[in-house]
């Protein structure tokens, strides 16, 4: 293999990793700030200017905390739990197209770690493995509350993955490809998928909330009933890893939402920019646009968190199985009919 | 109009157990409404008071640390009658009376004064009954405008005259308008 490609991809992966970590770090601050604003408060503003150093202070605090091990026979699994959560949250970013092609140093640099043609399946696979982090952690804690949280998390994720997959099927029928790069490229300019698949987007959005364990679906760690759910027994940096993984997966999930439905790096007027300022300018603006969309979805996650109270468990299951799945199937049927009709094969 | 459906505030809402329609059970409209309300709160004025730098203003009737008053000539008003101690529901006040010497006329207003006057701030409930009981208008909770500070041992909460009597500077300030006349 070409050495240059290895170096190029290596640099790119490190940059993406750093950006993901940075985002996850500052999401914790953003969450606290936004929560405060929604509640008419100011929020943390003592560490650094406007609280800009707060995530560092929080991290330092978690590092210096006592490392506690519960009386569990599964010490290995107890450590593996947060590790799996963290790694699965991070490896999803491998297939995401962060931007179009860039022409630098006489090379065409594709702003994507790897363009595999089954990227959608890959994402779903990784998401499914993600639940193991919570499951294993909750199981190895040797604590009833942890186990209960883990059980809730796994059943919730399995239920919502069905509706999520069905919502994606309608999208894939339209785009005709499982590759995220093709899906992103197909939304050129302003022809974003959300305009063609509004119901599918809504279902996918709701399921994303469930998959990332965010309110109103944070039953896995609901404080009022389960103390801390699956991370009750965790302390120090292992706890930090779980929380960090949650924020990292929130970032990735926002990215997937932006790429699949909100046009990825496409923005209106990109042809004009290419004509006047060149292709590289379009790519750079595209990357910024993508990150703007990601930030919006992260904000939306937090916005919803401080608006909607937690669902009851039976309501959660009812919404998943009785509302979203029928809706997703109806969406598939309607999409199929619409595709046939537009091809002139219907009637 | 029957009494059940009467609503003086106009905000009364009847709770019903009706079955939700399919659209309602998706919660979409309700969630959109909720999001709109929270978005409004994002831009409202923040109510936080950054405490050590900013302090809240006390209301004029705020009952804080007691103050033993001085009169216009700077003399202590208290005559050690003990009515405050008697009225105190928390048994917080103790005092010891002393007769005024002829050369102390500039210090004490009445012929009898309190040589020791102590309030146990841990017992005090800041009800203000001592203020109401006082026939000489000698004790007030609203004048000092300070809260009783925390301390780490119980003895520090027994406030003697050195902490309770109106400071001389304040008394001098109070007499100034009279001197101007």
């Amino acid at each position: 293999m070409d050495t240059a490609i290895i170096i190029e991809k290596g640099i790119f992966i490190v940059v993406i990793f750093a950006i993901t970590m940075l985002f996850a770090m500052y999401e914790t601050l953003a969450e606290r700030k936004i929560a405060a604003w929604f509640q008419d408060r100011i929020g943390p503003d003592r560490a650094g200017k406007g609280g800009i150093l707060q995530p560092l202070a929080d991290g330092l605090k978690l590092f210096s905390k006592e490392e506690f091990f519960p009386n569990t026979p599964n010490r290995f699994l107890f450590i593996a739990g947060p590790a799996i959560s963290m790694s699965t949250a991070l490896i999803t970013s491998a297939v995401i197209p962060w931007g179009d092609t860039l022409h630098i140093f006489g090379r065409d640099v594709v702003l994507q770690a790897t363009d595999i043609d089954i990227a959608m399946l890959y994402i779903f696979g990784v998401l499914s493995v993600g639940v193991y982090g919570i499951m294993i952690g909750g199981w190895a804690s040797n604590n009833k509350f942890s186990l209960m949280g883990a059980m809730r998390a796994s059943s919730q994720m399995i239920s919502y993955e069905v509706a999520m997959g069905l919502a994606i099927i309608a999208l894939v029928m339209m785009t005709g490809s499982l590759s995220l790069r093709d899906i992103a490229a197909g939304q050129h300019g302003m022809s974003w998928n959300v305009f063609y698949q509004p119901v599918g987007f809504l279902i996918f959005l709701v399921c994303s909330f469930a998959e990332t364990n965010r309110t109103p679906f944070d039953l896995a760690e609901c404080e009022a009933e389960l103390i801390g759910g699956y991370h009750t027994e965790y302390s120090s940096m292992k706890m930090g890893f779980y929380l960090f993984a949650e924020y990292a997966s929130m970032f990735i999930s926002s990215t997937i939402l932006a790429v699949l439905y909100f046009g990825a790096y496409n923005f209106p007027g990109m042809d004009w920019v290419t004509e006047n300022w060149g292709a590289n300018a379009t790519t750079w603006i595209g990357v910024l646009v993508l990150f703007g969309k990601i930030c919006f979805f992260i904000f939306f996650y937090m916005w919803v968190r401080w608006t909607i109270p937690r669902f009851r468990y039976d309501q959660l299951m009812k919404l998943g199985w009785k509302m979203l799945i029928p809706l997703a199937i109806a969406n598939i049927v309607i999409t199929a009919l619409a595709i046939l009709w537009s091809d002139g094969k219907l009637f | 109009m029957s009494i059940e459906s009467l609503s003086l505030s106009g905000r009364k809402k009847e709770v019903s157990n009706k079955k939700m329609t399919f659209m309602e059970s998706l919660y979409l409209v309700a969630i959109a409404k909720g999001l709109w309300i929270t978005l409004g709160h994002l831009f409202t004025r923040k109510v936080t008071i950054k405490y050590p730098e900013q302090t809240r203003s006390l209301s004029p009737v705020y009952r804080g640390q007691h103050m033993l008053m001085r009169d216009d000539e700077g003399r202590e008003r208290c005559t050690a009658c003990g009515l405050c101690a008697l009225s105190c529901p928390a048994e917080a006040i103790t005092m010891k009376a002393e007769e005024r010497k002829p050369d102390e006329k500039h210090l004490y207003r009445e012929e009898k004064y309190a040589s020791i006057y102590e309030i146990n701030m841990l017992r005090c409930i800041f009800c203000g009954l001592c203020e109401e009981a006082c026939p000489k208008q000698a004790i007030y909770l609203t004048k000092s405008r300070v809260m009783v500070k925390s301390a780490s041992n119980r003895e520090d909460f027994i406030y003697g005259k050195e902490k309770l009597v109106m400071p001389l500077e304040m008394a001098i300030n109070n007499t100034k308008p009279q001197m101007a006349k």
Side-chain angles (χ1 to χ4, degrees):
Chain A
M1 200 192 246
D2 192 1
T3 330
I5 282 195
I6 296 177
I7 295 171
E8 173 199 314
K9 291 294 180 196
I11 292 172
F12 186 75
I13 288 168
V14 169
V15 167
I16 287 302
F17 177 74
I19 288 176
T20 312
M21 284 312 209
L22 199 74
F23 255 83
M25 213 164 105
Y26 275 93
E27 267 170 69
T28 60
L29 175 66
E31 173 108 89
R32 293 176 65 181
K33 275 293 207 189
I34 286 170
W37 292 335
F38 277 130
Q39 295 165 4
D40 297 348
R41 297 184 285 116
I42 293 174
D45 67 339
R46 296 294 160 121
K49 196 160 174 60
I52 200 81
L53 297 176
Q54 189 70 40
L56 292 177
D58 288 345
L60 204 67
K61 190 204 84 174
L62 278 173
F63 260 121
S64 57
K65 284 251 168 174
E66 184 196 347
E67 186 101 51
F68 172 76
F69 268 98
N71 185 15
T72 167
N74 299 316
R75 271 175 89 94
F76 174 71
L77 290 185
F78 189 74
I79 298 168
I84 293 174
S85 275
M86 195 66 188
S87 0
T88 50
L90 289 175
I91 57 177
T92 323
S93 58
V95 293
I96 286 166
W98 299 95
D100 216 338
T101 319
L102 207 59
H103 306 281
I104 37 173
F105 310 128
R107 297 177 50 86
D108 286 352
V109 180
V110 182
L111 294 182
Q112 186 176 19
T114 172
D115 178 24
I116 50 177
D117 49 6
I118 48 154
M120 280 314 309
L121 286 180
Y122 171 80
I123 284 176
F124 271 91
V126 171
L127 277 180
S128 319
V129 175
V131 74
Y132 279 93
I134 292 173
M135 265 283 272
I136 288 173
W139 174 259
S141 292
N142 202 12
N143 174 327
K144 281 174 189 157
F145 290 112
S146 302
L147 185 60
M148 209 104 88
M151 262 158 46
R152 282 186 181 188
S154 42
S155 53
Q156 168 185 328
M157 284 199 178
I158 288 165
S159 325
Y160 277 76
E161 242 159 45
V162 180
M164 203 179 198
L166 290 174
I168 284 300
I169 285 176
L171 183 73
V172 170
M173 278 159 62
M174 256 182 57
T175 55
S177 171
L178 282 169
S179 154
L180 285 182
R181 175 150 291 273
D182 291 349
I183 292 175
Q187 307 179 58
H188 191 80
M190 213 37 202
S191 63
W192 298 353
N193 284 332
V194 66
F195 301 122
Y196 304 105
Q197 285 285 335
V199 178
F201 166 69
L202 219 59
I203 295 166
F204 192 85
L205 184 72
V206 173
C207 294
S208 297
F209 278 94
E211 289 290 318
T212 48
N213 274 321
R214 294 281 303 179
T215 343
F217 305 114
D218 63 338
L219 284 119
E221 48 184 301
C222 85
E223 303 88 358
E225 299 160 25
L226 296 181
I227 313 177
Y230 59 92
H231 58 62
T232 305
E233 294 283 356
Y234 281 89
S235 62
S236 184
M237 212 48 207
K238 289 208 279 294
M239 166 85 171
F241 256 51
Y242 265 133
L243 299 184
F244 220 63
E246 190 190 320
Y247 284 104
S249 63
M250 201 166 116
F251 169 68
I252 296 297
S253 156
S254 303
T255 313
I256 294 171
L257 273 167
V259 168
L260 287 185
Y261 287 99
F262 268 73
Y265 46 77
N266 296 297
F267 54 95
M270 57 195 296
D271 292 330
W272 184 86
V273 174
T274 313
E275 267 171 41
N276 292 282
W277 300 346
N280 273 357
T282 318
T283 308
W284 283 122
I285 295 172
V287 172
L288 289 182
V289 164
L290 177 62
F291 275 98
K293 287 168 186 172
I294 293 168
C295 288
F296 169 76
F297 277 111
I298 290 172
F299 170 76
F300 189 74
Y301 267 105
M302 292 167 184
W303 186 9
V304 167
R305 172 167 182 182
W306 298 105
T307 302
I308 308 168
R310 188 179 296 129
F311 277 94
R312 218 170 47 216
Y313 200 68
D314 62 313
Q315 288 173 330
L316 173 93
M317 283 298 157
K318 215 172 165 182
L319 186 73
W321 289 102
K322 289 191 179 171
M323 307 288 164
L324 292 181
I325 290 177
L327 210 61
I329 292 172
N331 189 39
I332 291 175
V333 173
I334 291 167
T335 311
L337 290 175
I339 290 170
L340 282 180
W341 180 70
S342 66
D343 288 353
K345 287 179 186 155
L346 201 66
F347 310 121
Chain B
M1 207 184 221
S2 69
I3 193 78
E4 284 84 22
S5 56
L6 210 64
S7 171
L8 291 179
S9 65
R11 293 192 300 268
K12 186 172 172 180
K13 261 189 181 170
E14 297 257 333
V15 178
S16 74
N17 258 340
K18 75 173 175 59
K19 216 159 161 47
M20 286 190 288
T21 60
F22 182 75
M23 271 320 280
E24 276 175 336
S25 63
L26 285 175
Y27 304 113
L28 283 179
V29 182
I31 286 171
K33 272 186 198 164
L35 288 175
W36 182 250
I37 290 172
T38 41
L39 191 67
H41 277 274
L42 204 55
F43 304 108
T44 49
R45 205 174 60 83
K46 306 300 171 215
V47 293
T48 306
I49 294 168
K50 298 184 175 183
Y51 170 60
E53 292 96 40
Q54 299 171 351
T55 45
R56 232 176 158 152
S57 58
L58 299 175
S59 88
V61 292
Y62 181 84
R63 292 199 295 268
Q65 186 181 317
H66 314 64
M67 182 179 269
L68 290 174
M69 306 297 286
R70 293 177 190 273
D71 67 0
D72 294 345
E73 295 162 40
R75 301 175 299 186
E76 286 178 27
R77 300 185 74 111
C78 178
T79 184
C81 64
L83 282 176
C84 48
L86 204 64
S87 71
C88 182
E91 288 284 336
I93 305 177
T94 42
M95 69 183 75
K96 206 172 157 199
E98 195 99 1
E99 195 179 341
R100 183 183 67 181
K101 305 273 167 11
D103 59 336
E104 289 175 337
K105 275 195 177 178
H106 63 292
L107 290 177
Y108 308 110
R109 184 185 160 101
E110 311 289 340
E111 284 153 12
K112 192 167 78 120
Y113 71 95
S115 60
I116 298 173
Y117 192 105
E118 284 182 347
I119 300 179
N120 186 338
M121 291 300 177
L122 285 177
R123 299 199 67 122
C124 178
I125 57 170
F126 301 94
C127 61
L129 284 183
C130 46
E131 189 181 307
E132 278 178 41
C134 185
K136 298 289 181 190
Q137 298 174 8
I139 186 165
Y140 277 97
L141 285 84
T142 51
K143 300 281 186 199
S144 69
R145 329 256 335 122
V146 291
M147 293 178 215
V148 175
K149 296 225 162 48
S150 58
S152 53
N153 68 47
R154 288 171 177 269
E155 283 71 42
D156 293 345
F157 283 103
I158 297 169
Y159 281 26
K161 276 181 82 170
E162 74 284 355
K163 281 186 183 167
L164 293 174
V165 176
M166 176 191 275
L168 272 174
E169 303 84 63
M170 197 170 160
I172 291 166
N173 277 337
N174 284 350
T175 54
K176 264 177 189 162
Q178 269 85 23
M179 288 164 82
K181 271 178 209 169

